[in-house]
Each structure stands twice: as C-alpha cells, then as structure tokens.
Amino acid sequence: GRGGQGVVKASQMVVKAAVEGGLHGQFIPFFGVERKGSPVFGYLRLSTEEIRRKTQIYEPDVIVIMDDTLVGLPQTYAGLKDGGTVLINSTKPLSELGVPDCAGVVAEVDATGISERLFGQNLPNTAVLGAFTKVVGIVDRERLFAEIEATFGAENRRAAELAYESVSYLKGGEAGV
C-alpha cells in the first residue's frame, strides 16, 4: 500500500485476531521513505506453529495490494509462489493488473470505493481486511471484525463487511462474487 492507507495498522489487527484465535502471528513493516503516499511494504506471517523467522518474506503465499497504482513496481509481485493468492484493491480488469501467471487465485475488491462512500476519503485498510478474511480464510472473520470495530468503530466494521460480501474472483477461487 501507500503511507496513510493503514497498511501497518491493518496488519497489526490481523496478527492480534490471529493470535487470539490460537494461531501464531508476526508483522514486520518495511518503509522506504517515511511519508504519506510513499510505498509501504509489510511482511505478515501466520501459522499454526511457532514462528522463529524474523525476516522479510521472499516467497509469499499471499500478496495483498491496497493501492493498484503499485502493480507496476517490480517488487509488488516479487517471489509469489506458484499457485499463490493475490488480493487487489481495484476495479480494473485482470489484464491491466500485471499479475504473474503463477498466481492461482486473483481476487479484487473496490475497497477505495467502499471507504470513499462511508468515510469520504481513501482509507481502504478495513475494507481490504474484510476481503482478506474471505479470500484467505485463515483468520476467524468474527474475531477480526470485532477487532476492527474495537479499534476504529462500527463504520469500519461495516466497510469490512461490505468488502467481504463484494469481493470478486478474477482467476481461481469462487466464480464471480
């Protein structure tokens, strides 16, 4: 995502909900230039087993993109495993997203549209989390949505719920919405 879109806070909420649900979780943020609007990368690990690694992830199973203007950067899809999952906040057709052929599942949600309708600005993180919960399925939906509401309020939970219901699969996964 980009600075100011809530990448760090969203990842922290996922880890908290995952740990409360009995998983192990870890988030390592990576900032280039620390300013609003600059690219922000975060490395999130979730597992049923204890996590000992404390490094970036070089071969991700899942890539979540909060801002589709980043799809042209070489590091956006770097290392995606064969059959991996890509979730993108976008309304563009698959042909414009530059997703590597190795992706097994590509899902899309208009998190920006949802956040602009509800909040009047582009704050896509909680909507993206709603889509993440549906597409990836490793974190308990209710637990994560409760964490979103406790952290940001009921309207953000609503954003997550709307995204959960409106995510669509462009490749693999469930057909359509």
Side-chain angles (χ1 to χ4, degrees):
R2 294 195 177 274
Q5 290 184 317
V7 172
V8 172
K9 194 62 178 173
S11 299
Q12 290 169 339
M13 287 189 290
V14 169
V15 168
K16 185 173 181 186
V19 169
E20 287 175 356
L23 296 173
H24 297 273
Q26 169 190 97
F27 172 66
I28 301 171
F30 178 78
F31 305 96
V33 178
E34 290 192 51
R35 71 171 189 266
K36 190 171 184 168
S38 63
V40 175
F41 295 86
Y43 303 92
L44 177 67
R45 285 189 175 91
L46 301 174
S47 179
T48 56
E49 299 174 10
E50 186 175 353
I51 300 169
R52 296 194 181 273
R53 284 188 156 170
K54 306 281 190 224
T55 64
Q56 295 176 4
I57 297 171
Y58 298 101
E59 294 180 325
D61 294 299
V62 178
I63 295 176
V64 177
I65 303 168
M66 282 201 200
D67 190 309
D68 68 5
T69 65
L70 298 172
V71 298
L73 298 178
Q75 63 267 42
T76 300
Y77 296 113
L80 179 65
K81 287 184 181 175
D82 281 342
T85 298
V86 176
L87 170 61
I88 303 176
N89 169 22
S90 184
T91 58
K92 295 178 181 174
L94 180 59
S95 61
E96 293 180 23
L97 296 172
V99 178
D101 292 336
C102 68
V105 174
V106 181
E108 179 179 67
V109 66
D110 185 11
T112 295
I114 291 169
S115 69
E116 287 176 346
R117 278 194 315 274
L118 293 178
F119 314 124
Q121 57 186 324
N122 185 14
L123 298 171
N125 65 341
T126 54
V128 169
L129 288 180
F132 171 84
T133 303
K134 184 171 188 176
V135 172
V136 177
I138 192 169
V139 179
D140 178 74
R141 174 186 176 205
E142 185 52 40
R143 193 176 301 276
L144 182 56
F145 286 11
E147 180 61 30
I148 290 168
E149 185 170 2
T151 303
F152 290 122
E155 279 297 291
N156 279 277
R157 180 188 179 114
R158 179 77 181 126
E161 290 169 345
L162 288 169
Y164 183 92
E165 296 302 326
S166 66
V167 67
S168 59
Y169 292 86
L170 304 177
K171 177 181 177 186
E174 298 175 13
V177 175

